[in-house]
Every structure is written in structure tokens, then in C-alpha cells.
Amino acid sequence: CVTSDVQAGCRDTAVTQELLKEGFHRDLLVKVELGEDAGGCAVAARTRLPAGIYVDPYELAMLQQHNSTKAVLIPDVVDVEAPEYLATDLVLVLYLGADPRCSRCFRAAVPVHVRYHRPAQGSQEALVVLESPEVLLCCCHSHLAAECWEPVEVGAPCSAERDVPCQWHSTTHRPAQEELVLEVPVGLREHSSLVCAVTLLTTLLCASLILAATCKHGHFS
């Protein structure tokens, strides 16, 4: 069977991703082990960031100036103040660097930030699901096996430094990867009345103290 021979000749590409650190400000680490040697090729990981998580384009630009992270955001304009329910998905193309400990291994990390979510009913956690990234290769001087890689349309340049379009290729035989699930703490809807009452009382108390201090120490003509 031709299909079986093709699949046997294509070694699986392994993809793993981790969220480092704690809290609302994390680092997304992506590691790739290619199924074949890709010397001279640019390696990238394309992943969809759901509305609950984002990359700050200003922070990304600063990191790229110091050559610590190379990536492209699609779209490149991001509302960093929007909560999860008013935000939209993003596409991140993260350029990976070679791992000196492994000839076919590549890795990169990028800071990501979690958005605030709506209060939930009966649960103090919301789930943000990160799908496994797609592995992309751009080879100018190397020939990729046609049965293992296929051309894909990617709105990203060859590298983060030069805005030059490239022909990217994606693995045609890649095993399904597990999703990465991030648990985000949220408020409880049943506490909304209590929160509103406490907020109102605190605001009135602070306003009263400011008014009293102004009347006592202020100079009025």
C-alpha cells in the first residue's frame, strides 16, 4: 500500500507546549522535535490564542529589539485592556531557535497574559484551552520530502526581522496533541450583590473622608 509506505517514511514531529510561572502573567514555551533533519530551514509554530489569553504587541516589540523573542501577531493590533468576553482570538507565529542539545530540536518562549473573565455560576475557575500549535518550515536551500510536508498559506514573513513573504510548509502526518488547559480564577455570580454593596459603601466612605479633610484643611476665599 502506497499510503502505508509514505507514512512509514515520515517520522512523527513531536510538539509540546508549557505555561511557565504563575498568575495572570505567564510564559508560553513551545518545543518541537522534527521528524527529519531540517538544516538551513526556518522553523516556526503557528498557534491560535483564544480570547482569554493574549500577547502584548508592545512587550513583544521590545523583546524583539533585544533578540530574545521572535514572533508575529495576527492581527498586530491588540486591545490589552479588554476582558475575555470583549476580546477576539489571535494567531501567533513563533519563530523557534535551535536547541544545541538536539540536532532536530527547536524551542522558543513568549510572554502571554490572561484576561479577566466574567463571574461564573457555582465555579471559581474559567478554562482557557490552548490547542497544539502547527509546525511550519521555510526552506530556501533544503529540499523537504513532498510526502511529509505540504505547502500552506501563512500570513507571516520568513523571519521576524524581514518582512519578506516565504513559502511555508506544514507536516502532513502529525499525531494529535493534547490541549493545554489554563485555569483562571473568577468571581462568583452569587457574590455580586455583596460586592456591589461593599464597593458602594467604600466609595461613600472615602468620598466623605476627602470632603471632611477638604473642609477642615482647605483654604477658601
Side-chain angles (χ1 to χ4, degrees):
C1 178
V2 175
T3 303
S4 299
D5 293 339
V6 168
Q7 291 181 350
C10 299
R11 295 182 56 184
D12 291 336
T13 295
V15 185
T16 60
Q17 56 182 356
E18 304 175 45
L19 281 172
L20 310 178
K21 301 180 181 179
E22 299 292 334
F24 278 67
H25 307 284
R26 316 287 286 268
D27 284 341
L28 176 62
L29 173 63
V30 179
K31 296 184 287 186
V32 170
E33 182 176 356
L34 297 177
E36 62 177 292
D37 187 16
C41 299
V43 182
R46 179 172 63 172
T47 186
R48 183 186 65 84
L49 299 180
I53 194 170
Y54 69 95
V55 172
D56 187 336
Y58 305 104
E59 182 181 24
L60 182 59
M62 185 178 302
L63 291 172
Q64 294 193 140
Q65 288 179 356
H66 294 85
N67 292 323
S68 57
T69 298
K70 299 177 182 179
V72 171
L73 271 177
I74 306 171
D76 58 358
V77 178
V78 180
D79 186 353
V80 299
E81 301 293 337
E84 177 270 339
Y85 48 88
L86 294 179
T88 57
D89 294 358
L90 300 171
V91 173
L92 173 70
V93 179
L94 181 62
Y95 299 94
L96 309 181
D99 189 336
R101 297 167 297 181
C102 172
S103 62
R104 295 196 302 269
C105 299
F106 298 82
R107 59 188 292 158
V110 62
V112 294
H113 307 275
V114 182
R115 296 186 185 274
Y116 290 104
H117 288 60
R118 290 184 186 273
Q121 185 72 38
S123 174
Q124 292 184 301
E125 291 180 343
L127 301 181
V128 176
V129 179
L130 282 173
E131 300 174 353
S132 180
E134 178 185 12
V135 180
L136 303 174
L137 258 68
C138 176
C139 300
C140 299
H141 307 293
S142 301
H143 177 70
L144 293 174
E147 66 272 15
C148 303
W149 298 84
E150 62 179 7
V152 292
E153 294 293 333
V154 177
C158 305
S159 66
E161 295 88 1
R162 296 189 305 161
D163 190 15
V164 179
C166 279
Q167 177 61 69
W168 290 92
H169 292 76
S170 174
T171 52
T172 56
H173 301 289
R174 181 170 58 89
Q177 303 293 324
E178 293 184 0
E179 298 172 332
L180 183 61
V181 179
L182 174 63
E183 297 178 348
V184 183
V186 297
L188 292 174
R189 290 183 183 177
E190 47 265 39
H191 293 167
S192 59
S193 299
L194 177 61
V195 171
C196 291
V198 172
T199 302
L200 178 60
L201 291 175
T202 303
T203 303
L204 292 175
L205 177 60
C206 293
S208 301
L209 292 175
I210 294 173
L211 181 60
T214 302
C215 294
K216 182 177 180 179
H217 304 287
H219 299 280
F220 303 97
S221 58

